[in-house]
Amino acid sequence: MLSKSQARLFFVVGTIFFSGVFLWLTVDTLNKMPAQTNAQNISPEVNRGKVIWEDNNCMGCHTLFGEGAYYAPELTKAYERRGEAYIRALLMSPTPWSPQGRKMVAYAMTEQEANDVIAFIKWAGEVDLNGFPAEPTLKQTN
Amino acid sequence: MKFKSQKLAYYFFSTCMLLLCLQITYGFIMGFAHMGYDNLHDYIPFNTARAVHTNLLVVWLLTGFMGAAYFIIPDETQRELYSTKLGFIQLISLVVVGVVAVIGFHFNWWEGRKFLEIPRPLDFLVVINVLTFLFNIGITLFRAERSSTTSIVLYTGLVAAALLYLPGMIYFENQSVDSYFRWWVVHLWVEGVWELIMGGILAYLLIKLTGVDREVIEKWLYVIVGLTFLSGILGTGHHYYYIGAPKYWLMVGGIFSALEPLAFLGMALFAVVMYRRSGREHPNKIALLWTIGCAIMSFVGAGFLGFAHTLPSVNLYTHGTLVTAMHGHLAFWGAYAMIVLAIISYAMPMITGRKNYNSMYGMLAFWICNIGMLGMTGAFAVAGVAQVYLERKTGMDFTLVQQEIEPHFLGLVLAATLFTTGVLLYIYDFYKYGRPNDEALVALTDNG
């Protein structure tokens, strides 16, 4: 039967081995991510947009790449779905945007800030996400 | 209780109780908002409530782990803590940082990265705080004549948790890379090193409550934490499926995260088998309930429900929906909230010297909390699955879907009310124990 020292060996060797594999895959991932995410398109606007995104905790209601909270729409494809004008209007709105009654904080952004956020969302929409979000397979097309 | 410094744990535990109440309050705000009653929007918008709810969870659990360590380490090393004073300073500073962060969230002061919302300047204070804690426990361990596997596993978990906080503090321009390293903190905490902490506390409780030989329990502790890392480290990959990372993570994450329930199954079997082998009838039945309950509920919440949406083909549709909230609630409750409540239930009679073992309130608290939390999980499950089919499968608009699933949030709020009743009973029981008492020294060392 397994002894305590064998059990410890299993823990130590397993942990070291899998940590090693994880670090190796991380290096490989970091090498591949720039191409997969079009890192060359991360302009100063996109970066400023990301900062605004974080400063206002947009992830506290929305998801991006499916990550965040589940109170407001997934925004990965928002640029493609809604277009620039709609997004700009809601970001600059001085009163809470409230589609079907669900309220968004009124950020009353300047045009510049809104454009930065739009640039960020547009960049996010072009990242290769391995098929996410999936096409709705049960969508009625009539 | 044999050592005076173990009393320090009491103050950490009472902080836990306060923070838990506050966490639940903000949960209700979100529940009502989901039902369509977002009446506090102007003062506490959803993103504020959400940041407070999740950060308070993390802070009260960490406070609980620290309290547990301050109680367990003197007992395991057979000596007083290095410095009780340092412990108090550390608790007070932790509370101050927590309060400042929570207030800041109400004024749009945060970092806006899921689970790591605490603003950067406060991050540094958290790091200093945790280092102080680790120093205090570390010196105690270092000076001890004997060290047990349980205390080493617990300490390793705490040190690793502190180290893994650091990758979350690096700024990346690329959202995908940012997300990649954010999971180093979040995933490797809750599905990695926190399980070490949980395993350590669980092993300690089983040794004390069942009387089974320490060597046997600690051997299986190694096997379980070994399984945790074997599956959990590469299991991080289930967060990398759809964030802009290479496709091989679908396979790597899929395989290893599918193995993650094994560690939790091991934990549940471990607790139940040790309990059945139990050679003694420990009088503290409530602590035993929480201990065995924790091992079982962590398997259901973290293991089973995690598995339910971890396979890439399923996750493609459930990713970023309320299905995640379903899994998240029962997982954190079963694995981490319950282990903290278990150690509190075990420690309180010893710290206060009151043998208030089998109080009706304590027993009721256990059952009502668990039934309430299962109800909440059910409500999230129904809402989540409905959302997946309506929004992700049929392509219905997000807000229309949200209106469709509003009634399930009434179910959620009702179940949460039951859960809260259980929590309040637990806190009433905690309050009735009274304050730490030096007369409790040695009087209640029922465990040699």
Side-chain angles (χ1 to χ4, degrees):
Chain A
M1 192 58 188
L2 187 76
S3 71
K4 189 173 168 184
S5 56
Q6 286 169 328
R8 181 167 49 219
L9 193 69
F10 165 69
F11 165 61
V12 173
V13 172
T15 303
I16 293 173
F17 177 75
F18 286 103
S19 300
V21 174
F22 186 59
L23 288 175
W24 171 62
L25 288 175
T26 295
V27 171
D28 186 69
T29 298
L30 292 179
N31 282 331
K32 292 191 168 120
M33 264 180 157
Q36 192 166 346
T37 60
N38 308 311
Q40 72 281 1
N41 295 344
I42 302 179
S43 60
E45 288 80 29
V46 172
N47 195 27
R48 283 201 300 270
K50 178 173 181 277
V51 173
I52 295 172
W53 169 266
E54 286 173 3
D55 283 351
N56 292 299
N57 191 19
C58 302
M59 257 188 171
C61 294
H62 293 276
T63 47
L64 185 74
F65 300 164
E67 297 186 330
Y70 320 117
Y71 189 65
E74 196 347 279
L75 295 181
T76 309
K77 298 288 177 193
Y79 183 87
E80 188 183 307
R81 193 168 64 233
R82 295 291 190 187
E84 227 173 294
Y86 180 94
I87 302 174
R88 187 176 296 111
L90 70 87
L91 289 175
M92 293 175 66
S93 167
T95 52
W97 197 261
S98 53
Q100 272 90 33
R102 186 160 287 191
K103 282 186 208 156
M104 175 167 157
V105 175
Y107 287 104
M109 289 186 191
T110 62
E111 188 158 8
Q112 170 74 52
E113 288 168 336
N115 286 341
D116 292 341
V117 175
I118 290 166
F120 174 62
I121 303 269
K122 181 171 184 281
W123 166 80
E126 289 162 0
V127 172
D128 173 6
L129 297 177
N130 300 332
F132 180 85
E135 283 300 314
T137 45
L138 302 176
K139 191 167 188 169
Q140 304 220 329
T141 47
N142 51 346
Chain B
M1 183 174 73
K2 285 184 194 162
F3 302 95
K4 267 190 167 182
S5 51
Q6 283 180 291
K7 284 190 301 184
L8 182 57
Y10 172 83
Y11 300 95
F12 281 79
F13 294 157
S14 33
T15 309
C16 282
M17 300 289 100
L18 278 174
L19 296 177
L20 171 59
C21 286
L22 207 54
Q23 188 207 352
I24 293 174
T25 309
Y26 280 81
F28 272 106
I29 295 175
M30 287 192 282
F32 279 108
H34 266 286
M35 273 164 73
Y37 300 104
D38 190 11
N39 300 334
L40 293 175
H41 178 85
D42 293 342
Y43 313 99
I44 309 174
F46 190 89
N47 56 352
T48 297
R50 154 91 183 199
V52 175
H53 186 68
T54 52
N55 282 269
L56 279 178
L57 168 73
V58 174
V59 175
W60 88 256
L61 291 177
L62 284 176
T63 309
F65 293 160
M66 287 174 179
Y70 283 135
F71 182 81
I72 293 173
I73 297 296
D75 192 30
E76 287 286 295
T77 56
Q78 292 295 307
R79 60 178 299 133
E80 295 285 357
L81 286 171
Y82 166 68
S83 167
T84 316
K85 207 169 151 191
L86 204 58
F88 272 114
I89 295 173
Q90 188 238 323
L91 174 64
I92 293 165
S93 60
L94 186 68
V95 170
V96 170
V97 170
V99 168
V100 172
V102 165
I103 294 174
F105 293 164
H106 291 75
F107 295 95
N108 218 24
W109 190 47
W110 42 25
E111 218 171 86
R113 295 157 74 229
K114 192 179 176 184
F115 301 123
L116 304 179
E117 287 91 347
I118 293 180
R120 186 54 49 91
L122 296 183
D123 275 343
F124 291 103
L125 293 177
V126 171
V127 171
I128 295 170
N129 191 283
V130 172
L131 288 178
T132 313
F133 162 75
L134 291 174
F135 172 77
N136 204 355
I137 298 285
I139 296 280
T140 313
L141 276 174
F142 183 71
R143 291 193 177 164
E145 279 163 18
R146 62 169 220 183
S147 63
S148 65
T149 299
T150 302
S151 57
I152 291 171
V153 169
L154 180 61
Y155 193 64
T156 311
L158 293 163
V159 172
L163 282 177
L164 283 168
Y165 192 66
L166 303 178
M169 290 172 61
I170 309 168
Y171 182 81
F172 296 100
E173 282 197 347
N174 189 326
Q175 175 72 18
S176 298
V177 180
D178 191 309
S179 192
Y180 187 90
F181 284 106
R182 196 170 51 80
W183 290 115
W184 274 39
V185 189
V186 181
H187 175 94
L188 291 176
W189 266 19
V190 299
E191 286 162 72
V193 297
W194 279 26
E195 283 184 55
L196 285 193
I197 300 170
M198 177 199 170
I201 300 175
L202 187 67
Y204 174 82
L205 285 167
L206 288 173
I207 290 168
K208 298 297 178 186
L209 293 169
T210 66
V212 171
D213 184 37
R214 173 182 286 277
E215 287 299 299
V216 177
I217 289 189
E218 292 184 338
K219 175 176 81 178
W220 290 107
L221 175 62
Y222 271 132
V223 174
I224 287 163
V225 293
L227 279 175
T228 299
F229 281 151
L230 184 149
S231 58
I233 296 174
L234 291 178
T236 317
H238 64 194
H239 298 288
Y240 297 159
Y241 295 160
Y242 308 119
I243 63 161
K247 215 163 190 170
Y248 55 68
W249 282 112
L250 271 69
M251 191 181 72
V252 176
I255 291 172
F256 285 90
S257 68
L259 294 174
E260 279 187 46
L262 280 182
F264 285 105
L265 182 63
M267 203 96 77
L269 289 174
F270 170 61
V272 172
V273 170
M274 292 305 145
Y275 168 64
R276 290 175 66 100
R277 271 202 204 177
S278 169
R280 73 163 84 153
E281 278 277 312
H282 195 283
N284 195 342
K285 290 276 178 291
I286 297 177
L288 192 65
L289 262 182
W290 283 105
T291 305
I292 306 292
C294 161
I296 293 171
M297 291 299 264
S298 66
F299 169 66
V300 178
F304 179 74
L305 292 182
F307 182 78
H309 70 135
T310 201
L311 296 178
S313 52
V314 177
N315 196 256
L316 179 62
Y317 293 97
T318 59
H319 182 50
T321 66
L322 289 158
V323 169
T324 315
M326 174 257 320
H327 157 59
H329 277 78
L330 199 63
F332 272 101
W333 168 251
Y336 300 121
M338 283 182 79
I339 198 70
V340 171
L341 298 180
I343 187 75
I344 294 177
S345 296
Y346 175 75
M348 284 305 280
M350 307 224 169
I351 296 176
T352 61
R354 295 195 179 181
K355 296 184 186 180
N356 188 15
Y357 284 137
N358 300 310
S359 85
M360 189 183 67
Y361 292 121
M363 288 282 178
L364 274 177
F366 173 84
W367 291 108
I368 295 180
C369 280
N370 276 292
I371 293 168
M373 183 49 84
L374 282 171
M376 289 166 65
T377 307
F380 273 123
V382 176
V385 172
Q387 183 193 4
V388 167
Y389 276 92
L390 293 176
E391 185 191 331
R392 299 291 174 83
K393 287 281 193 180
T394 71
M396 207 168 139
D397 182 67
F398 178 89
T399 40
L400 292 175
V401 174
Q402 293 294 312
Q403 281 183 330
E404 288 298 315
I405 62 177
E406 271 176 9
H408 305 305
F409 283 89
L410 174 62
L412 176 76
V413 166
L414 290 176
T417 307
L418 191 64
F419 172 75
T420 309
T421 310
V423 170
L424 291 177
L425 286 174
Y426 188 94
I427 294 174
Y428 178 68
D429 210 39
F430 180 89
Y431 172 74
K432 268 188 36 191
Y433 269 110
R435 306 270 304 230
N437 189 339
D438 277 344
E439 284 167 25
L441 282 171
V442 187
L444 272 172
T445 50
D446 58 349
N447 41 58

